[in-house]
Amino acid sequence: MTITATTEYEPLTESTAISLAKDLEFFKDGALLHCREIGDGNLNLVFHIRDENNTGIIIKQALPYAKVVGESWPLTLHRATIEGNYLKNAATLVPNLIPKVYYTNEALAITIMEDLSHLEIVRNGFLDGKDFPLLSKHIGEYLAKTLFYTSDFGLNQQEKKNLQQAFANPELCKITEDLVFTDPFYESETNDYEPELLGSVEDIWNDAELKLEVAKLKYTFLTNGEALLHGDLHTGSIFASEIDTKVIDPEFAFFGPIGFDVGQFFANILLQAITRDDSQRASITSHLYQVWEGFTFTFSDLWKTKSVEHFTQTPGYLDFFLKKVFTDAIGFAGCEVIRRTIGLAHVADLDSLKPYERKISVKQQALLLGQTLIKNAANIRNIQDVESLLKNELKGNG
């Protein structure tokens, strides 16, 4: 029995991934195939298969547990179906900004998609000092279109409610609820930080004003089903080059507050910016300006020309809504900065810093920046204010 005929889940290996590709006839009969397991995430296996002509595909398979913890943390395989369906929906909205999906198999929790090996993971590129000049223009368009067209402004309310049912994603939402909004702000066993950060961490745990604002943000995340989110939009979930951008890994997709996706991207740009000295920082912070400008331009145009909601013609409503998205995004960005510094899942932007003393110093600044963003979100008016806060936190670090 071939692997495509079985209905019983079994994790792929490099050899069975090749067998699957052959069974599905992705390559010419007799082609010499090479397979490499390239996944570096916590939740999936990812295989890159190519032939002697360097034509390739990517096979992604969800694991029934989180690799960072092991089989003691079981996870639903349904998230692979969520991911495949998100990509298929996004293909109707931003086909140039996501990988093509060739095949899905719910029983095996498999998605087979376009080979993006000609592109580079943005986080890795940033760490190597590269820039991606069209990245934030593309991400601004991606955010505006995927979020507008799945909101009550761009989608018939009844259709939206049906779509919400299809994208119920409670287990992965629970991960975000815990790891982003709860655990870093309490003494939780999932937290992971260097001993030298204990004083800064305890300041967070003991800051009642901060925790009140985080409580509000968590409530917004839990209750505001504004649009279909990617749910995990960081620089490790984006491939890019000088001219192309592709967003991947939407397995956390669900209906939530629009500002969450925007804030996740903000935060991961800030996490890179905070590691750079004064002479190198502007090329990174420029992405904050570009993504917000691109998002607001495209979202506003869609609001004015494609809305299905009568009240979008009401003077002042668009400005009100964009201000709400921005304020939410700033608060969510602060939570993400803190959790990526002391929570379960770190980022290489911070963890790869050397020497050790510099890593600790930058992480302390990251924690202060995260707290400032959260507590001052309502008073931060624009990206210039964000950049000013960043400069204030980094004084003396240039």
Side-chain angles (χ1 to χ4, degrees):
M1 179 183 293
T2 63
I3 191 168
T4 52
T6 185
T7 58
E8 184 177 349
Y9 176 88
E10 184 175 337
L12 291 172
T13 64
E14 291 183 356
S15 62
T16 57
I18 287 178
S19 296
L20 177 62
K22 289 180 177 178
D23 289 346
L24 295 172
E25 300 180 346
F26 276 105
F27 299 93
K28 292 180 180 179
D29 191 35
L32 180 62
L33 301 183
H34 302 274
C35 180
R36 186 164 60 98
E37 212 279 293
I38 59 173
D40 61 356
N42 289 321
L43 308 179
N44 307 286
L45 298 171
V46 184
F47 299 93
H48 180 206
I49 301 178
R50 57 184 176 84
D51 63 15
E52 60 268 31
N53 298 317
N54 221 27
T55 299
I57 59 172
I58 296 295
I59 300 180
K60 180 175 179 180
Q61 183 181 39
L63 286 169
Y65 55 86
K67 283 194 283 188
V68 71
V69 176
E71 295 186 20
S72 63
W73 189 347
L75 290 171
T76 178
L77 296 175
H78 180 64
R79 68 184 191 276
T81 301
I82 293 280
E83 176 170 7
N85 288 341
Y86 178 96
L87 291 171
K88 291 172 186 176
N89 186 73
T92 67
L93 305 174
V94 285
N96 57 317
L97 298 176
I98 59 161
K100 296 181 179 68
V101 174
Y102 301 135
Y103 173 84
T104 59
N105 185 309
E106 186 167 2
L108 297 175
I110 282 172
T111 304
I112 301 180
M113 66 191 85
E114 177 184 1
D115 179 10
L116 301 178
S117 59
H118 62 292
L119 305 177
E120 184 172 11
I121 294 173
V122 168
R123 191 185 307 283
N124 295 344
F126 281 166
L127 289 172
D128 290 337
K130 298 177 183 177
D131 194 14
F132 302 97
L134 297 180
L135 168 68
S136 292
K137 176 179 180 292
H138 289 160
I139 295 300
E141 176 189 353
Y142 168 87
L143 287 166
K145 290 182 176 178
T146 59
L147 296 170
F148 176 84
Y149 279 116
T150 59
S151 74
D152 288 303
F153 307 118
L155 187 64
N156 173 276
Q157 288 88 345
Q158 297 305 305
E159 293 178 32
K160 181 195 168 193
K161 288 175 172 61
N162 289 331
L163 199 62
Q164 282 179 300
Q165 292 178 340
F167 281 95
N169 200 357
E171 286 195 329
L172 270 70
C173 286
K174 175 65 171 168
I175 291 175
T176 304
E177 292 155 18
D178 290 346
L179 299 188
V180 177
F181 295 109
T182 304
D183 293 355
F185 303 96
Y186 293 89
E187 190 171 357
S188 169
E189 62 182 15
T190 67
N191 291 330
D192 178 20
Y193 53 88
E194 292 81 1
E196 293 84 352
L197 294 178
L198 179 59
S200 298
V201 172
E202 289 180 334
D203 287 343
I204 289 173
W205 293 346
N206 295 324
D207 189 335
E209 178 189 357
L210 175 71
K211 291 166 80 169
L212 174 59
E213 295 307 314
V214 174
K216 296 175 186 177
L217 288 162
K218 182 177 179 180
Y219 184 75
T220 298
F221 181 84
L222 289 168
T223 62
N224 282 24
E226 293 175 341
L228 179 57
L229 308 186
H230 177 284
D232 196 26
L233 188 63
H234 54 76
T235 51
S237 294
I238 305 170
F239 275 89
S241 68
E242 291 282 310
I243 58 174
D244 290 322
T245 305
K246 303 284 186 180
V247 176
I248 63 168
D249 292 349
E251 60 197 319
F252 280 77
F254 83 109
F255 273 79
I258 286 175
F260 185 75
D261 270 0
V262 179
Q264 290 263 299
F265 187 77
F266 281 176
N268 281 268
I269 294 299
L270 289 168
L271 284 165
Q272 176 56 213
I274 204 169
T275 69
R276 299 199 174 196
D277 63 33
D278 292 340
S279 64
Q280 298 177 317
R281 195 172 300 125
S283 65
I284 294 297
T285 56
S286 67
H287 287 287
L288 297 173
Y289 290 91
Q290 292 169 29
V291 73
W292 183 246
E293 180 181 341
F295 170 78
T296 55
F297 177 85
T298 302
F299 194 92
S300 298
D301 181 64
L302 293 171
W303 177 288
K304 295 170 185 175
T305 62
K306 301 294 183 182
S307 178
V308 299
E309 167 55 56
H310 293 295
F311 278 104
T312 52
Q313 304 305 313
T314 303
Y317 191 15
L318 174 60
D319 290 342
F320 161 81
F321 189 77
L322 290 176
K323 182 179 179 181
K324 176 188 182 302
V325 171
F326 186 78
T327 299
D328 286 350
I330 295 300
F332 289 137
C335 293
E336 175 73 356
V337 167
I338 289 174
R339 82 94 167 195
R340 290 294 191 179
T341 307
I342 62 172
L344 181 64
H346 289 189
V347 289
D349 308 66
L350 301 182
D351 280 359
S352 65
L353 290 173
K354 294 180 181 179
Y356 183 79
E357 292 75 16
R358 179 167 179 257
K359 177 168 72 171
I360 297 303
S361 175
V362 172
K363 285 192 172 188
Q364 288 171 331
Q365 290 168 325
L367 294 177
L368 289 172
L369 176 63
Q371 293 171 78
T372 302
L373 291 172
I374 292 168
K375 291 198 285 188
N376 293 281
N379 300 316
I380 296 173
R381 300 161 298 171
N382 49 44
I383 298 298
Q384 289 91 332
D385 286 351
V386 177
E387 190 170 30
S388 295
L389 288 173
L390 179 65
K391 288 178 179 178
N392 288 337
E393 296 299 342
L394 297 178
K395 279 181 180 177
N397 192 43

